[in-house]
Amino acid sequence: MAESFASLKESFVFNFIEGARWKYITNGLLVTLKVTFFALLLGIVIGVVVAMIRSSYDKTKDEMQPGPGKWAMTVLNAVARLYLTVIRGTPVVVQLLIGYFVIFVSSTNTVFVASMVFGINSGAYITEIIRGGIMSIDPGQFEAGRSIGFNYIQTMRFIIIPQAFKNVLPSLANEFIALLKETAVCGYIGLMDLTKGGDVIRGRTFSAFMPLIAVALIYLILVIFFSWLVGKLERRLRSSER
Amino acid sequence: MSADIIISVRDLQKHFNAGAVHALNGVSVDIEKSEVLVVIGPSGSGKSTFLRCLNLLERPTGGSVVFEGVDITAPRTNINLYRRRMGMVFQHFNLFPHMTVLRNLTLGPTELLKKPQAEAEGKAMQLLERVGLADRAGAYPSQLSGGQKQRIAIVRALCMEPDVMLFDEPTSALDPEMVGEVLDVMKELAKMGMTMVVVTHEMGFAREVADRVLFMDEGVIVEQGTPEEIFDRPRSERLQSFLAKVL
Ligand SMILES: Nc1ncnc2c1ncn2[C@@H]1O[C@H](COP(=O)(O)OP(=O)(O)OP(=O)(O)O)[C@@H](O)[C@H]1O
Ligand SMILES: [Mg+2]
């Protein structure tokens, strides 16, 4: 027992302390958090815009007057649907490779490329979350806004989206947690995230157990921590309702 | 056209579900400035649809609504500008639950009428004072009773300084003991000369406040006249049997 503990300690020192190899882990963790955070931000922006396009089209297509407005809405809606279909119909690793080798070829900033790709990817899922949130709002809220004289966009901005957003906050937080794990494939484009950091140590020390288990533990702790936060948030939101 | 007609409705038609439901079947009426027009009729007769066609919350499938000489049903009219001038009060209040009472009242004036915040708040507080709710300015809608919510909803519409107020069964969702406080506010509005179109089942209110009563059934105006004509001397059989049920 004491012997195995000693060898664990030795392995720990060898993998992380010598050559300051722990920096691969901490720097990687930072990259992972950065990519996740920026991707979520971008995803929310895309999600809100696409959700508004989709639900406004569904709501107004029957009564819109023919003309450039209707034509523009039809095109926008078609683009939105194409986006949703393509993003949700292809693996994120493939999107990442296409993003790096085809779309953002001129960029050497892999954090930027990964944030863009994961943001565009999660935007498709966040669209559905926000759309659900919009549909959960009492139609009377929409009518009240319109009856005051707000146009469609203003009604969304001041009245519907703030309420929908509050309703979907827990789902968005869960999307953050899912993203945190999904970004582990960033190594495919040479990004030194948490997973890649552990893998680099494995390559240097030729011992797989210690670095990979450490990486897994860090993910696990982060996920447990953020899930706990979401739980707290959900309870707070529920108690603030009537 | 007479100068004091504010809304002129001509041969209004409304179909729902691709023609399956014929909610309005040729409604024509002129609404005069400062007139209190009360609309009564059985459930499903098209009262709400008529009211909601006035500010185009429902788009009529035929006919026209002319507001101060402008056909607002024409495709090119900017309906948002006309909706500002027609306040609407709903059966279920539809206050914005994520805003304080005061913000509910100032949102439209600041964002649409571009009033400075202080001016909008001053006007809102003044109106809140009149309905006896100045002390609830900082409250959220969920902290108010139904009667308070509806009075706030009326004030919210008034803050836009409309020319007409539309009411769709404003007291139907209220506990009986709260109906009076809302009707009192409406009576005061009428006294001040506000043009009002009121869909209601409160026959007492209609009799007391209305200048004219419309009786609708199956999407048409069956009978109209002064409260006395409608309630004391109903001519059509449909109105007689309706009154027999509700009075
Ligand atoms: N959005 C809608 N879609 C389909 N049918 C509708 C819609 N709104 C109203 N209708 C139908 O139109 C007719 C008139 O409805 P309306 O709501 O105007 O009646 P009402 O006189 O206001 O009735 P109530 O006293 O019950 O409020 C009814 O047959 C109703 O079912
Ligand atoms: Mg109705």
Side-chain angles (χ1 to χ4, degrees):
Chain A
M1 186 71 199
E3 196 177 304
S4 70
F5 183 77
S7 79
L8 258 184
K9 188 181 167 194
E10 191 182 321
S11 164
F12 183 87
V13 169
F14 176 52
N15 277 292
F16 299 125
I17 312 292
E18 276 178 32
R21 282 195 270 270
W22 55 273
K23 281 191 175 163
Y24 287 111
I25 299 288
T26 53
N27 290 345
L29 176 59
L30 207 65
V31 167
T32 292
L33 289 176
K34 260 192 215 163
V35 170
T36 306
F37 178 74
F38 288 123
L40 187 76
L41 276 191
L42 179 62
I44 289 175
V45 172
I46 294 176
V48 167
V49 172
V50 178
M52 276 178 66
I53 292 172
R54 292 283 297 112
S55 42
S56 82
Y57 179 82
D58 286 348
K59 198 166 218 155
T60 55
K61 63 169 186 264
D62 296 327
E63 53 186 61
M64 247 193 302
Q65 315 282 332
K70 177 158 193 170
W71 187 82
M73 270 315 294
T74 308
V75 171
L76 276 176
N77 182 59
V79 171
R81 292 185 74 139
L82 181 70
Y83 159 74
L84 295 174
T85 308
V86 170
I87 294 296
R88 292 188 301 183
T90 53
V92 68
V93 182
V94 177
Q95 293 166 17
L96 187 67
L97 292 172
I98 292 175
Y100 185 63
F101 290 109
V102 181
I103 299 172
F104 301 108
V105 257
S106 57
S107 174
T108 53
N109 184 346
T110 42
V111 170
F112 167 78
V113 174
S115 301
M116 291 297 286
V117 169
F118 279 101
I120 292 169
N121 177 272
S122 100
Y125 298 93
I126 293 179
T127 296
E128 294 306 310
I129 294 176
I130 306 256
R131 226 154 75 90
I134 290 173
M135 285 192 291
S136 74
I137 304 298
D138 173 10
Q141 289 290 308
F142 192 81
E143 293 187 345
R146 295 307 302 268
S147 78
I148 290 173
F150 288 110
N151 64 28
Y152 181 86
I153 302 272
Q154 290 167 324
T155 307
M156 280 291 168
R157 173 175 158 212
F158 294 118
I159 295 153
I160 306 299
I161 298 284
Q163 294 182 61
F165 206 75
K166 187 183 151 192
N167 289 352
V168 302
L169 257 179
S171 307
L172 286 179
N174 283 325
E175 175 67 14
F176 177 82
I177 292 172
L179 259 179
L180 185 75
K181 290 177 289 175
E182 277 175 24
T183 58
V185 296
C186 278
Y188 269 89
I189 61 168
L191 186 59
M192 285 291 232
D193 71 327
L194 178 58
T195 305
K196 188 72 181 173
D199 202 42
V200 166
I201 298 179
R202 183 189 60 79
R204 297 277 156 86
T205 61
F206 298 104
S207 66
F209 179 83
M210 185 57 77
L212 296 184
I213 293 296
V215 165
L217 269 178
I218 293 172
Y219 277 114
L220 188 60
I221 289 167
L222 285 175
V223 168
I224 290 173
F225 172 69
F226 284 118
S227 303
W228 173 78
L229 272 187
V230 174
K232 261 185 89 127
L233 180 75
E234 271 180 321
R235 278 189 296 277
R236 277 275 294 276
L237 288 177
R238 222 173 301 140
S239 70
S240 76
E241 275 156 22
R242 68 205 73 166
Chain B
M1 181 206 275
S2 150
D4 52 3
I5 287 177
I6 182 158
I7 301 177
S8 179
V9 180
R10 282 291 159 270
D11 194 28
L12 210 56
Q13 303 276 343
K14 178 66 186 181
H15 295 267
F16 284 110
N17 304 338
V21 181
H22 202 166
L24 293 179
N25 190 4
V27 171
S28 299
V29 62
D30 288 331
I31 302 167
E32 287 174 26
K33 278 213 171 92
S34 293
E35 180 179 29
V36 177
L37 184 65
V38 169
V39 183
I40 61 172
S43 181
S45 57
K47 306 180 297 292
S48 295
T49 307
F50 164 70
L51 195 73
R52 294 157 56 83
C53 279
L54 295 181
N55 67 353
L56 264 56
L57 273 189
E58 270 343 319
R59 245 187 199 282
T61 38
S64 63
V65 177
V66 177
F67 185 92
E68 289 191 339
V70 179
D71 181 359
I72 59 174
T73 45
R76 285 185 182 277
T77 353
N78 180 358
I79 185 58
N80 298 316
L81 296 179
Y82 291 93
R83 284 191 180 137
R84 294 179 193 178
R85 303 174 57 187
M86 296 187 251
M88 190 165 212
V89 176
F90 301 87
Q91 184 177 350
H92 294 107
F93 331 126
N94 298 343
L95 293 178
F96 307 134
H98 59 304
M99 299 174 187
T100 62
V101 165
L102 193 60
R103 189 68 188 131
N104 264 278
L105 304 184
T106 57
L107 184 71
T110 53
E111 296 295 337
L112 294 175
L113 307 180
K114 303 294 174 200
K115 272 194 190 179
Q117 187 69 32
E119 187 189 330
E121 281 182 9
K123 169 90 185 173
M125 289 309 299
Q126 198 186 328
L127 285 167
L128 278 179
E129 201 82 57
R130 293 195 72 135
V131 299
L133 289 172
D135 57 328
R136 307 316 310 270
Y140 281 87
S142 61
Q143 301 165 318
L144 304 174
S145 73
Q148 291 176 329
K149 280 184 203 171
Q150 196 60 301
R151 282 184 281 159
I152 300 289
I154 293 173
V155 170
R156 179 174 69 183
L158 290 176
C159 279
M160 293 296 287
E161 297 173 358
D163 300 314
V164 184
M165 288 283 286
L166 312 175
F167 295 85
D168 193 357
E169 301 198 24
T171 57
S172 296
L174 297 177
D175 293 337
E177 72 269 21
M178 293 175 183
V179 170
E181 64 193 60
V182 171
L183 292 182
D184 285 344
V185 172
M186 293 169 64
K187 283 176 197 166
E188 197 183 320
L189 261 184
K191 226 178 282 166
M192 284 161 51
M194 176 61 77
T195 312
M196 296 163 65
V197 184
V198 185
V199 173
T200 186
H201 293 297
E202 294 290 330
M203 297 303 152
F205 175 84
R207 189 186 270 277
E208 185 185 337
V209 185
D211 295 307
R212 185 159 48 129
V213 179
L214 295 187
F215 170 64
M216 287 185 68
D217 195 11
E218 296 180 350
V220 297
I221 299 175
V222 177
E223 207 169 322
Q224 59 176 301
T226 63
E228 293 72 33
E229 288 168 341
I230 292 293
F231 294 114
D232 300 336
R233 299 185 293 281
R235 282 163 290 151
S236 64
E237 204 175 307
R238 277 198 270 179
L239 176 54
Q240 284 162 8
S241 74
F242 172 75
L243 290 176
K245 267 181 236 149
V246 297
L247 288 181

